[in-house]
Amino acid sequence: MSNAAAASAGSRTPPRYALVQRLLHWLIVVLVVLALIAGGTIGYFGFSGLRDMFGPAGTDFVYTTHKTLGVLVLGFMLLRVLTRLGFGKPAYAQPLPAPQRIASQIVHALFYVLLLAMPVLGWLATASGGFPVNLFHIELPGLIGRDKELSEALFLWHRYVGYALMGLIVIHVAGALYHWRVRRDEVMQRISLFR
């Protein structure tokens, strides 16, 4: 390869998602991590434990924050679905082996399903339990009548989806690190905000 060809190959830009898709990806990452931390805190301490530790105002803050983050994740995920339909996804700079390509498709599909299902389950569980659904200090419509048994079942599924989501995050991060540090195949550049 000539020096000019090598320079050209070295300076080419790998295929990337549209900027709005990359921004949504990383915004959702931050929101999901914060929602999982808040949800884990609620799950670990419970309502009574939170009241004992943080008092009524602190407890309200933790619950309102968790609900708000969930509603934001749902809204931004719906936007992400629309941008995916509108912009599609870029090709890989180097084609992936079939097993990696299939695994990637499964993981991404599961992310979309879980990140839409989890906030919906939380919303319906909260409303059917007779609690307010909050976006910051705005109370949103409950969308479902009060039903204690249904609320308990929905909260249980909300928790299960949270565990599944945490497992999926571990798999996704491991795959990203593999592509970034081992294969060095520019897969990470497709979604990164910076070069």
Side-chain angles (χ1 to χ4, degrees), residues 8 13 38 41-42 47 50 64 86 90 117 126 137 143-144 188:
S8 173
T13 303
T41 302
I42 291 167
F47 180 77
L50 286 175
T64 300
T126 299
H137 293 292
L143 305 178
I144 191 171
M188 283 290 292

Side-chain angles (χ1 to χ4, degrees), residues 75-87:
F76 286 123
M77 277 305 298
L78 292 172
L79 277 176
R80 187 154 183 200
V81 169
L82 292 175
T83 58
R84 176 65 182 271
L85 293 173
F87 292 101

Side-chain angles (χ1 to χ4, degrees), residues 4-144:
S8 173
S11 66
R12 70 171 173 70
T13 303
R16 303 180 84 193
Y17 283 93
L19 178 60
V20 66
Q21 291 174 292
R22 289 181 278 136
L23 289 170
L24 283 170
H25 173 273
W26 292 107
L27 176 60
I28 291 167
V29 166
V30 171
L31 294 173
V32 167
V33 168
L34 292 174
L36 287 172
I37 290 169
T41 302
I42 291 167
Y44 183 78
F45 290 104
F47 180 77
S48 298
L50 286 175
R51 292 276 294 222
D52 291 344
M53 184 170 290
F54 300 116
T59 301
D60 287 347
F61 175 78
V62 173
Y63 275 92
T64 300
T65 298
H66 182 64
K67 294 175 197 178
T68 297
L69 290 166
V71 171
L72 291 174
V73 167
L74 179 59
F76 286 123
M77 277 305 298
L78 292 172
L79 277 176
R80 187 154 183 200
V81 169
L82 292 175
T83 58
R84 176 65 182 271
L85 293 173
F87 292 101
K89 70 177 201 173
Y92 290 99
Q94 303 172 35
L96 293 181
Q100 287 183 24
R101 189 181 69 251
I102 292 166
S104 173
Q105 290 168 344
I106 291 170
V107 167
H108 283 93
L110 285 173
F111 263 124
Y112 276 87
V113 170
L114 295 184
L115 287 173
L116 289 167
M118 191 166 182
V120 169
L121 287 169
W123 188 316
L124 297 178
T126 299
S128 61
F131 307 108
V133 178
N134 299 99
L135 175 63
F136 300 102
H137 293 292
I138 302 166
E139 189 171 329
L140 302 175
L143 305 178
I144 191 171

